[in-house]
Amino acid sequence: MSTEPDAVVRAYIDAHRAAFLDDLAEWLRIPSVSADPERAGDVARSAEWLAAELSATGFPVAEVWPTEGLPAVYAEWPSADPGAPTVLVYGHHDVQPAARADGWDTEPFEPVVRDGRMYGRGAADDKGQVFFHTLGVRAHLAATGRDTPAVNLKLLIEGEEESGSPHFAALLRERADRLACDAVIVSDTGMWDERTPTVCTGMRGLTDCQIDLYGPDQDIHSGSFGGAVPNPATEAARLAAALHDEDRRVTVPGFYDGVIELTDRERALFAELPFDEAAWLRAAKSHALLGEAGYRTLERVWARPTAEVNGVVGGYTGPGGKTIVPSSAQLKLSFRLVAGQDPAAVERAVRAWVAGRLPDGIRHEITFWGATRPCLTPLDHPALQSVVRSMGRAFQSKILFTREGGSGPAADLQDVLEVPVLFLGISVPSDGWHSVNEKVELDLLLKGVETAAYLWGDLGEHWHR
Amino acid sequence: MSTEPDAVVRAYIDAHRAAFLDDLAEWLRIPSVSADPERAGDVARSAEWLAAELSATGFPVAEVWPTEGLPAVYAEWPSADPGAPTVLVYGHHDVQPAARADGWDTEPFEPVVRDGRMYGRGAADDKGQVFFHTLGVRAHLAATGRDTPAVNLKLLIEGEEESGSPHFAALLRERADRLACDAVIVSDTGMWDERTPTVCTGMRGLTDCQIDLYGPDQDIHSGSFGGAVPNPATEAARLAAALHDEDRRVTVPGFYDGVIELTDRERALFAELPFDEAAWLRAAKSHALLGEAGYRTLERVWARPTAEVNGVVGGYTGPGGKTIVPSSAQLKLSFRLVAGQDPAAVERAVRAWVAGRLPDGIRHEITFWGATRPCLTPLDHPALQSVVRSMGRAFQSKILFTREGGSGPAADLQDVLEVPVLFLGISVPSDGWHSVNEKVELDLLLKGVETAAYLWGDLGEHWHR
C-alpha cells in the first residue's frame, strides 16, 4: 500500500515533534534582525547556531559563509544514488525588526506555544520554514531506510533577505560551483490558507528607498516665515501623494515598462481560488479594499506592481502642537515589481521623477536599498509536479496554485544558477509576517516536515535530468 | 532741553543693566514649556518667580492667577494722577519646547551671553520682552521723580501662549473688572531688523490641529497586502499635499471666506520697507521663496492666511527599510489666519474637508488645539502715536510700520476688554523664535527698556480718555 511509507513518516514526525519544536524555539530566541546594524552579532550567532544544527541533523557539510554583509549558511548532503538530481533549498535566517512596544502580546524573541501555534519573530518568516527541512530529511531517511537522501540535497540559508539581499547575488556568483543544482526550492512563501494547500508559481520583485528632503537649515517659526518658503514635510507629502493617480495607478513615468500583463487564463485560474473578501480583509487587518482600478484583489497583490509608503517622518511629532516649518522630512517607499520589470530601471525612473518634482529650496537625497528581481516558475516543470504530489500526500487534499505578493531572491537564484525555481511553503496569511504577533501554525509546520520527507523520494524517483 | 530726561533714563539703565540681565537669565533657566504636560510644574514655578520679581520691582499688586490650565501672572501699579489712562501690558511666560539634541549650540535652559546676545529658550519669545518692563517702569520713575507711574499700569503675563492660549479668553472674562483698561500693549512681537525700528499694527490668527489616520489594525506586510488596501501614510500624504493647489493657494473650501484683502495703500506701505530678499532668506534659514501666487513675501507672511504641515509621522522610521503598510499616520497642521477669518469657521471647514477626502477603510480623528483670532490695530489711535514717539526717542530714528505673521491672543484682549490693542516689540527675525539657538540682542533689549521708560510719561501727557 502506498500509505505505508507515509504512516512511517508520520510516526517518525510524531516521535520527534517535541524536540523539533524546542530546537526551533531556541533558534527564534536569537534576534537576527538584519536591518539593524546593532544586531549584526545576533545574525552571526543565528548562522552559527543553524550550521551546528544542520551538522547534528546529519549533513556532512554545514558551513557559515561570510559575505560583505551578514553571513549565510550552506549545507550539503550528497546522495549515494548515481544520477540523482541535485536540489538546492533556499531560505533565510534573518528576521524583520520587532519590539514588544510595537504591540506584541508577548516578547517577540521569547517564543511561546499557545493554541497550537508558536508565536515569535521569524516563526513563519522564515526560520520555521527553513527548519522543517531538518526533521523532513531525517523522516525521509527513516521511512525509506536510506543512509543518504534520494537527491543531492543542498541548503543555502541567507542572512540579509529582510534587508533586500544586497550581497546575495554576489555570493551566488562566487559560490556558483558548489551551488550547482538542477532546481531551487524556495522555502520562504505561503499557501492559500489553513484549509487550501497551494503551490506558489511566482514572486514579485522589490526595490525600496529612503528619500530625505531638506528645506530650512533648522526648524523655523511658521508664523514668521510660513507660507513664504518651501516646507519639506509638505513636499514629502506631495511626492508621496503624487505616486498614485485617482485610479491608484503608479504615476512614475516608465514604471510599467515591460510589465508582463496577466493572461485571461491566469486571471481565470486565480478566480478558482476560494477567495473570501471578508476573510482576506481580516487577515490583512484592514477595513476596506483599495487598489489599482481594473484588477481584482489577488491580481493586485500577486501580479501587479505597486508603490507603497512604508514610513514618513518630519517636523514635530511630540505631544501637542508646535508651529514650525520643519527643516527636513523623510519618506520610505517600496515598489513591488512583477515579471518583465527591471529593478534598476525602476530605480532610475523614481530618481528622475523625484528630482523633477521638487521646488527650488528643497534639497534631496535618495538612498535605494538592495533590489530583488521578480520571478515566475514554469508551470510545466516535472519537479513542480513532484512538489504538488508530495504536498498532496501530506495534506491529503488537491493542491491549487497561487503566486506570492512578497519578494525574495528567487530571481537571483534563477538568474545566476540558471535553473528553475520552485516554491514550497506552509505559512498562511494570518501568520503576521513583518507584523506583530508573528506565528506559525504547528499543524502546518509539521505538514511541511512531511512534504519535505516525501519530496526527496518523489524527485529521486520521477525526475532525472 | 528735551534730551535731559532721556539722558537720565539712559544713565539709570546703564547703572542697572548688569543686575537686570542676571535676573533675566535666572528666569530663562526655568523650562516653562506649556506644550509638555511634564513641565507643568516648571510653568507654575516661572509664574511664582515673575510675581516675586514684579513685587520687588515695586508693583503694589503682583499675583499668580490660576486657570483651568497653566497659571498667569497679574501685576498692577496705579497712578496717583487723577485722569491717568489705564494701560494693560500683555506678554507670556511660557516657552516653546527645546532640547539640546534639536541642534542647540548650548543648553536651551542654561542661558549664556555671547557677542552682545543672550541665548536661551524664551530670550526673545517672550520672557525678554516681558522683562524689559521691569527696568522700564523704574527708569520712568527715576527720570521723572515720580512715586507712581504716569499711567495706571497693569501687566497680564499668561502661561499658555505657546499652546494656543486655551484658557486665556475665559481668564479675561472672569477677571474683566480688574483688567479694565483704555488700551492693551502687547509686548510679544518684533521689529523689522536691527537697524529698522518699526511698530507692528496687526497679528495673524492661528488654529492648529492633529489628524490621526488609522488603516490596518497593525502594520502589515506590503508584499502580501500592499496595493490592495488603503495605506494611512499615503492618505496622510494625500491630505497634506491637497492642502495647496499649484498656485500654493489653500484648497479647503471656505478657507478664504471673509478675508480682508490688502488695500493698494497697505501694499505700498509694506513696499517702503527695506526688504532684502537674500537677508530675509538667511533669517528664514531657507534657500528659496515659495508661496501663494500673486503676493510678495511680506504680504504672504503678514497679510495672507496659510496652511502649514508642522509635523508628519507614520510607519517605519528607523534605520534601513521595512516593507510594511503602516497601521496609522499622523499629521500636525497649522493655519495662520488674517483679519476677517473666524478660527471656528476654519476648523469646521477643515473638518469637513478631511472627512470628505478619505477612502473607505481609513478611520480618522481630528483634534484642534486652542484657536487664536487675528487682530489689526487702528492706525489713527493716539496711543499708537505715543508708542511711535517713545520708540523714536529710544532708537533716535524714524519708526516704520509692519505686521506680525505670528499669532498671539491679542484679539482676545481686543474682543473681551473692548479696547484697542497696540504692539511694542524689540525682537528681530534672526532671534530664532520656536527654533534652535533662540537669542535676544542685548542692545535692542535695552532700547525696549528705554522705550517703556518714555512711553508711560508720553501716554500720561498726551492721551486722556
Side-chain angles (χ1 to χ4, degrees), chain B residues 40 80 160 201 320 326 442:
Chain B
E160 297 188 311
T201 65
L442 296 185

Side-chain angles (χ1 to χ4, degrees), chain A residues 266-311:
Chain A
E266 285 169 313
R267 299 185 81 166
L269 276 170
F270 285 171
E272 281 182 35
L273 285 160
F275 180 73
D276 176 338
E277 181 179 309
W280 189 90
L281 278 173
R282 277 196 301 277
K285 312 284 184 190
S286 291
H287 303 281
L289 299 174
L290 186 68
E292 187 183 354
Y295 293 91
R296 300 187 192 99
T297 295
L298 294 182
E299 295 165 351
R300 287 169 172 168
V301 296
W302 288 348
R304 296 299 299 167
T306 61
E308 206 71 57
V309 180
N310 306 126

Side-chain angles (χ1 to χ4, degrees), chain B residues 210-214 331 351 354 358 363-367:
Chain B
Q210 174 175 312
I211 306 175
D212 288 286
L213 301 183
Y214 302 98
L331 284 175
R351 286 183 181 276
V354 170
L358 295 172
R363 185 170 64 80
H364 78 285
E365 292 170 3
I366 308 188
T367 306

Side-chain angles (χ1 to χ4, degrees), chain B residues 369-400:
Chain B
W369 321 121
T372 305
R373 292 166 56 83
C375 176
L376 264 183
T377 312
L379 285 173
D380 58 354
H381 194 277
L384 181 63
Q385 299 310 314
S386 283
V387 172
V388 171
R389 272 192 303 269
S390 301
M391 279 194 85
R393 284 164 71 183
F395 286 86
Q396 300 182 292
S397 165
K398 181 182 175 193
I399 307 301
L400 296 174

Side-chain angles (χ1 to χ4, degrees), chain A residues 193-424:
Chain A
D193 66 18
E194 289 80 347
R195 290 164 306 283
T196 315
T198 51
V199 168
C200 172
T201 66
M203 294 187 86
R204 290 197 289 189
L206 173 69
T207 186
D208 58 347
C209 64
Q210 174 175 312
I211 306 174
D212 287 285
L213 302 182
Y214 302 97
D217 294 336
Q218 57 190 44
D219 293 348
I220 57 174
H221 191 287
S222 74
S224 302
F225 305 110
V229 295
N231 175 330
T234 297
E235 297 309 320
R238 289 169 80 102
L239 276 182
L243 272 176
H244 299 93
D245 64 17
E246 288 310 307
D247 286 335
R248 302 283 168 162
R249 271 180 70 85
V250 177
T251 63
V252 176
F255 180 74
Y256 291 99
D257 285 359
V259 162
I260 298 176
E261 299 285 338
L262 281 163
T263 63
D264 289 345
R265 177 158 177 267
E266 285 169 313
R267 299 185 81 166
L269 276 170
F270 285 171
E272 281 182 35
L273 285 160
F275 180 73
D276 176 338
E277 181 179 309
W280 189 90
L281 278 173
R282 277 196 301 277
K285 312 284 184 190
S286 291
H287 303 281
L289 299 174
L290 186 68
E292 187 183 354
Y295 293 91
R296 300 187 192 99
T297 295
L298 294 182
E299 295 165 351
R300 287 169 172 168
V301 296
W302 288 348
R304 296 299 299 167
T306 61
E308 206 71 57
V309 180
N310 306 126
V312 57
V313 65
Y316 183 69
T317 60
K322 189 175 180 188
T323 46
I324 54 166
V325 177
S327 66
S328 67
Q330 183 183 84
L331 284 175
K332 288 183 196 280
L333 305 180
S334 62
F335 301 88
R336 297 283 168 181
L337 309 177
V338 300
Q341 283 179 300
D342 173 13
V346 169
E347 175 179 335
R348 284 192 300 273
V350 171
R351 285 183 182 276
W353 178 79
V354 170
R357 294 189 64 86
L358 294 173
D360 286 349
I362 297 287
R363 185 170 64 79
H364 78 286
E365 292 170 3
I366 307 188
T367 307
F368 270 81
W369 323 122
T372 305
R373 292 167 56 82
C375 177
L376 264 182
T377 311
L379 284 172
D380 58 355
H381 195 277
L384 179 64
Q385 299 310 313
S386 283
V387 173
V388 171
R389 272 192 302 271
S390 300
M391 278 195 86
R393 285 164 71 183
F395 285 88
Q396 299 182 293
S397 166
K398 181 184 174 190
I399 307 302
L400 297 173
F401 295 89
T402 66
R403 289 199 203 172
E404 171 61 41
S407 308
D412 285 335
L413 292 157
Q414 183 176 255
D415 294 351
V416 177
L417 304 180
E418 296 180 326
V419 294
V421 172
L422 313 169
F423 298 88
L424 169 60

Side-chain angles (χ1 to χ4, degrees), chain B residues 6 22 26 34 61 63 113 130 158 167 184 233 250 267 290 327 331 337 364 380 385 399 416 427:
Chain B
D6 296 13
D22 285 350
E26 186 177 310
S34 57
V61 174
E63 302 169 359
V113 171
V130 167
E158 72 153 318
H167 306 101
V184 168
V250 177
R267 298 184 83 167
L290 186 68
S327 66
L331 284 175
L337 310 178
H364 78 285
D380 58 354
Q385 299 310 314
I399 307 301
V416 177
S427 181

